[in-house]
Amino acid sequence: MENPIIPKHIGFIMDGNGRWAKKRGMPRNFGHSQGASVFKKTINWCRELGVECATFYAFSTENWKRPEDEVRGIMNLLRQYIKDIREFADEDICIIILGDISAFDEDIRVELEDIMQTSKDNKGFIVGIALNYGGRAELTRAAKMLCEECLRGKISPNDVTEELVEKYLYTNKMPPLDLVIRPSGEQRLSNFLIWQAAYSEFVFMDTLWPDFTKKDLERAIAEFSGRNRRFGGV
Ligand code: IPE
Ligand code: IPE
Ligand code: MG
């Protein structure tokens, strides 16, 4: 495509790691490790293509249901990747963690909080990483914070507008979510950015996340570019 419309914000549901590993007779955590390296590459592809913000679904509020050794493996992978995430933060990238990281081990939590704090004014690109994230949990958290503001007398229930709710979401510094890409053949959101995706475009593909390439990203953007977004108008 000549001059595709580039989405400002893409959400990636990094799915299919387990199936990718299984196909190779390897443990599921091997797939997670391959998937994590694709996460790093995808950030660079997005920057090369002119995207402003990318959010990655790395661990959902429902993923705790998995076997203990798989969860432990994912946490260790996260430990390993913290160094890389910090390097991105040093390249003028703002890192935003979406989700309740208070459930994580202290060493991980402290590092992630520090990365968020030190990168918060970076302007080059925004990377969102959804960890212990669920869209329902995010909206519940927003509702709780709004109730507290009401009880403190800072706002009244009539002040609660869609714009105000958005201020209480993890995505409040991000551009609107234009496109959600889900590899692995599943066609669902699985509790990812449910508020933000209200008018997003969706591109599903059979590729498993560890096999995701820059070509796949370019194809998804070309498809997005050809869509007619009406937002309820004509
Ligand atoms: C996505 O890959 C990674 C996480 C949810 C952490 P999966 O582990 O869900 O891979 P499949 O869907 O079982 O293949
Ligand atoms: C969604 O994938 C969560 C992440 C990619 C982190 P899942 O594999 O957990 O989703 P379901 O269970 O297929 O809906
Ligand atoms: Mg899956």
Side-chain angles (χ1 to χ4, degrees):
M1 193 171 280
E2 277 288 288
N3 282 312
I5 299 166
I6 304 295
K8 283 193 166 57
H9 182 180
I10 305 180
F12 293 90
I13 301 180
M14 304 190 284
D15 196 19
N17 296 346
R19 277 164 282 174
W20 184 89
K22 194 171 174 213
K23 265 174 51 184
R24 286 161 180 76
M26 299 295 281
R28 294 179 57 84
N29 279 329
F30 180 63
H32 294 316
S33 152
Q34 289 299 309
S37 75
V38 174
F39 152 78
K40 250 179 76 179
K41 288 190 241 172
T42 306
I43 294 174
N44 289 324
W45 299 332
C46 284
R47 291 162 79 197
E48 286 159 21
L49 293 168
V51 176
E52 293 174 19
C53 173
T55 298
F56 297 86
Y57 204 8
F59 193 83
S60 77
T61 47
E62 288 75 33
N63 288 149
W64 296 106
K65 290 180 199 158
R66 296 185 177 207
E68 219 182 292
D69 71 317
E70 180 171 348
V71 172
R72 202 176 320 115
I74 293 171
M75 293 304 147
N76 284 333
L77 202 55
L78 184 56
R79 277 196 178 88
Q80 220 174 296
Y81 266 81
I82 279 176
K83 192 170 59 66
D84 297 287
I85 299 171
R86 207 178 268 291
E87 270 166 31
F88 279 119
D90 292 338
E91 287 175 40
D92 199 27
I93 296 181
C94 168
I95 310 281
I96 296 174
I97 307 295
L98 302 77
D100 179 13
I101 56 169
S102 72
F104 291 174
D105 287 348
E106 192 180 338
D107 61 316
I108 297 181
R109 203 178 64 227
V110 168
E111 287 279 349
L112 290 176
E113 272 162 8
D114 182 64
I115 291 172
M116 264 198 289
Q117 181 58 28
T118 51
S119 73
K120 72 178 178 7
D121 296 321
N122 289 352
K123 296 277 181 276
F125 188 78
I126 303 174
V127 171
I129 310 174
L131 288 166
N132 191 20
Y133 173 87
R136 289 177 181 168
E138 178 180 36
L139 290 173
T140 305
R141 170 179 175 266
K144 243 183 229 168
M145 290 192 288
L146 284 163
C147 287
E148 278 163 11
E149 296 288 65
C150 281
L151 284 173
R152 275 198 227 109
K154 295 257 171 68
I155 55 168
S156 81
N158 280 333
D159 296 326
V160 181
T161 58
E162 291 184 11
E163 289 71 25
L164 190 67
V165 172
E166 292 202 324
K167 290 208 174 93
Y168 290 84
L169 302 182
Y170 295 114
T171 46
N172 58 17
K173 277 172 64 181
M174 296 177 171
L177 182 68
D178 290 321
L179 171 63
V180 174
I181 298 177
R182 182 165 193 163
S184 92
E186 311 299 349
Q187 305 196 352
R188 54 178 171 259
L189 271 179
S190 300
N191 207 7
F192 183 55
L193 300 176
I194 53 177
W195 169 290
Q196 296 84 346
Y199 268 102
S200 304
E201 295 297 324
F202 295 90
V203 171
F204 298 105
M205 57 184 75
D206 289 332
T207 315
L208 302 171
W209 176 255
D211 290 328
F212 187 80
T213 61
K214 189 174 184 188
K215 273 270 162 306
D216 291 316
L217 177 60
E218 285 168 343
R219 265 196 289 269
I221 291 177
E223 168 130 14
F224 166 84
S225 188
R227 301 262 176 99
N228 181 7
R229 302 183 80 192
R230 286 185 290 278
F231 299 100
V234 285

